[in-house]
Structures are given as structure tokens and as C-alpha cells.
Amino acid sequence: MVNFISSPYLRHRTLTLLLSALFVLPAHAAAPCDEFVRKLPNVKRSLCEAARLEATTARSVKGQPLWMRDIQPDDVRLRVLVLGAIHGDELSSASVALHWIQLAEQMATPWSQAVHWRFVPALNPDGLLSTPPRRVNANGVDLNRNFPTPNWERDAKVYWEKRTRKDPRRWPGPKPLSEPESAFLHGEMQRFKPHLIVSIHAPYGVLDFDGPSVPPSKLGRLYLDQVGIFPGSLGNYGGVHKGVPVVTIELPNSTRTPLDAEMRQMWLDLLRWMSERMGPALPGPRVP
């Protein structure tokens, strides 16, 4: 029997395997911008690389990393979680999230300095990067119907069968949080404890809201039109069940972003509403 301590070969081999497991990521993990620039509308490499996305420990069904970016000032008063591409075929939602990372870093508004922003621009990378893009994840689950709302086991199945007529694009999955992507977001809500969640979707061209507080009346050209709640949706779970306001942005087009000036105006309107409704002691955004 070979003594592990006395065997240089085994020591070297074990160390190599450990280092490989710890530090070597798949090719797609090392270069997210290669895929994002190729796939997403209005995303140049310079914008994506400036976002400085970091791979979390979470992986999609197919092993794709779930990427995140934190922008955290010293004097944090609010935590805001911004999500894109919960539905993989809503490409513009991921693009807007990347543009907003740039605005969060560059726009000199006093109020923005008090916010810890956490961006997850592509919660459903498997759906986003498939050809053609798919709303659902690699298991065929609609992630925005997979959150543990009360009576999910009873309501989600009935809604899917009766109201959607078993639409495969809206299958809620076999049980709440059955998917690694929704489980990751659920965990982030527990760890990060956001005061606000902003979920970017497309293509209905409206603004939705769930939860406490007075909703924003508009963001840019998107006006409030609350469409109701669904079993297992993030708005239902976060806004209604957990009491965390959820602003749901429905962009007008899933394959084309708004103009840069419009994305900037949406961002300013969001900051203005946050200053009025979520941080009355804080100064409002200064529009340059």
C-alpha cells in the first residue's frame, strides 16, 4: 500500500486535480461576452466587458454559469435586485440590464450612491443561448411560474391546464423551485434581502407592479398597467407573499432594445420613484 504522504507523484496528482476543480471553468464560463455580444441586441463588446460580470457558484441545467454584478457604495441604505432574461426569448431584457449596469456606475446622481445594486442580466442562459431562443429553461420550465407561492401545488397545475391549455411555454414545473435557476434566485432573495426587485421582460410594452408601496406611474414611455398575478410568478411570490415590491418592466420588443436615450430615461424615472417612495429621507436623483 502506497503511503500518500510519502508519494510525490500522488501529492502532485492530487494537487493538480484539486486546482483544476477549483479554478478551471468551462470555456463558456471564461468569456460570457462572446455569447452575449453574439446573441443580444444593442450590446457591443465594450459595454459587456465594462459590466465586469462575475460567475456565481450557481449553474443552469446545462451547466452555464449564472452571472452577476454588484455595485456597492459605502453608505448603503437600500438593496435593489435587477433581473433580466428570466424568459430566454426576451433578449432585449438582458441587454437593458447590461446598459443599466453602465448607468449605475457612470451616472452621477446623489441618490444612486445610496443603493447597493445587484444585477443578474440573464437568469435563464440556456433558453437565451439556444437556437432559436426559448422562453423556458432546458427542462422546459417557465421559471416565472416556478416560485413557491401559497397553494402552488394546487393552483399552478390548474392554471396551466385550464387557463393556458397546457401551453408548453408556460409549464410551471413538477414542484416549486425545481429548477436550479429559480432556486438560485430564491436563495439570492434570502441572502441579499432586497428592498426592491426590478424584473425586466418583453414584449408587451407596459409597466407592472406587485407588492406594497405606490407603484410608479411610468418609466420612460412605459405606463402602469397592472395585469394581475399568476401562481408561481416572481411578482406574486416576492411582491404579494413576501412583501418586497416588484417592478416588472415589459419592454415593447423582445429582439430590439429601446433607444439609448429611452433606456436612460427609464433609469432616471426608476431612481426618481425610488427616492419618492422608498427613501423619503434621501435626496432625489439629479438629472444632468
Side-chain angles (χ1 to χ4, degrees), residues 114-137:
V115 179
H116 180 178
W117 299 96
R118 175 161 292 178
F119 291 88
V120 182
L123 185 68
N124 183 4
D126 292 347
L128 182 81
L129 299 177
S130 67
T131 303
R134 302 173 70 222
R135 173 186 173 96
V136 294
N137 75 345

Side-chain angles (χ1 to χ4, degrees), residues 11-286:
R11 285 201 302 269
H12 174 75
R13 179 62 175 163
T14 302
L15 180 60
T16 300
L17 291 173
L18 286 173
L19 290 174
S20 297
L22 287 172
F23 298 112
V24 176
L25 293 173
H28 59 246
C33 290
D34 289 345
E35 298 287 356
F36 287 168
V37 170
R38 178 181 64 85
K39 198 79 173 183
L40 299 178
N42 195 19
V43 171
K44 296 180 180 178
R45 179 167 291 276
S46 58
L47 177 79
C48 183
E49 291 181 349
R52 298 190 305 233
L53 300 174
E54 297 183 358
T56 68
T57 58
R59 296 292 182 267
S60 68
V61 172
K62 289 188 173 181
Q64 297 273 5
L66 300 184
W67 298 91
M68 178 189 293
R69 173 66 194 282
D70 275 317
I71 299 175
Q72 181 177 3
D74 294 331
D75 58 339
V76 171
R77 303 188 202 180
L78 286 177
R79 295 178 298 276
V80 181
L81 180 60
V82 181
L83 309 167
I86 293 178
H87 294 141
D89 59 354
E90 298 169 3
L91 305 178
S92 58
S93 66
S95 298
V96 168
L98 290 171
H99 279 269
W100 279 6
I101 292 174
Q102 183 181 64
L103 291 177
E105 283 195 304
Q106 295 180 356
M107 188 165 288
T109 58
W111 202 84
S112 66
Q113 298 305 307
V115 179
H116 180 178
W117 299 96
R118 175 161 292 178
F119 291 88
V120 182
L123 185 68
N124 183 4
D126 292 347
L128 182 81
L129 299 177
S130 67
T131 303
R134 302 173 70 222
R135 173 186 173 96
V136 294
N137 75 345
N139 285 335
V141 174
D142 182 344
L143 298 177
N144 203 32
R145 300 294 183 268
N146 194 237
F147 293 96
T149 52
N151 300 314
W152 186 96
E153 288 80 1
R154 180 194 69 195
D155 297 341
K157 182 180 179 181
V158 170
Y159 187 91
W160 180 63
E161 292 178 345
K162 304 297 184 183
R163 296 292 296 275
T164 78
R165 298 182 179 181
K166 296 186 178 181
D167 182 352
R169 286 168 40 85
R170 289 169 172 78
W171 183 49
K175 62 181 181 179
L177 303 179
S178 60
E179 309 308 299
E181 301 92 346
S182 55
F184 162 75
L185 180 53
H186 181 262
E188 279 304 301
M189 292 173 66
Q190 294 179 318
R191 290 185 291 269
F192 186 54
K193 294 180 172 54
H195 298 99
L196 171 68
I197 298 172
V198 180
S199 183
I200 310 173
H201 288 260
Y204 295 110
V206 298
L207 182 65
D208 197 4
F209 182 85
D210 296 288
S213 184
V214 177
S217 59
K218 73 180 189 71
L219 295 183
R221 298 181 183 180
L222 302 181
Y223 286 85
L224 183 67
D225 184 7
Q226 291 177 273
V227 298
I229 59 175
F230 307 95
S233 71
L234 178 60
N236 188 347
Y237 176 70
V240 178
H241 181 53
K242 290 297 184 181
V244 179
V246 178
V247 172
T248 301
I249 296 169
E250 282 280 352
L251 301 169
N253 193 297
S254 61
T255 59
R256 186 173 67 248
T257 68
L259 297 176
D260 289 358
E262 177 67 8
M263 288 189 284
R264 180 177 179 275
Q265 187 59 55
M266 292 166 62
W267 175 257
L268 286 171
D269 288 347
L270 177 64
L271 293 182
R272 185 176 293 109
W273 172 77
M274 289 167 58
S275 70
E276 293 171 352
R277 297 299 177 182
M278 303 194 67
L282 302 176
R286 174 174 57 83

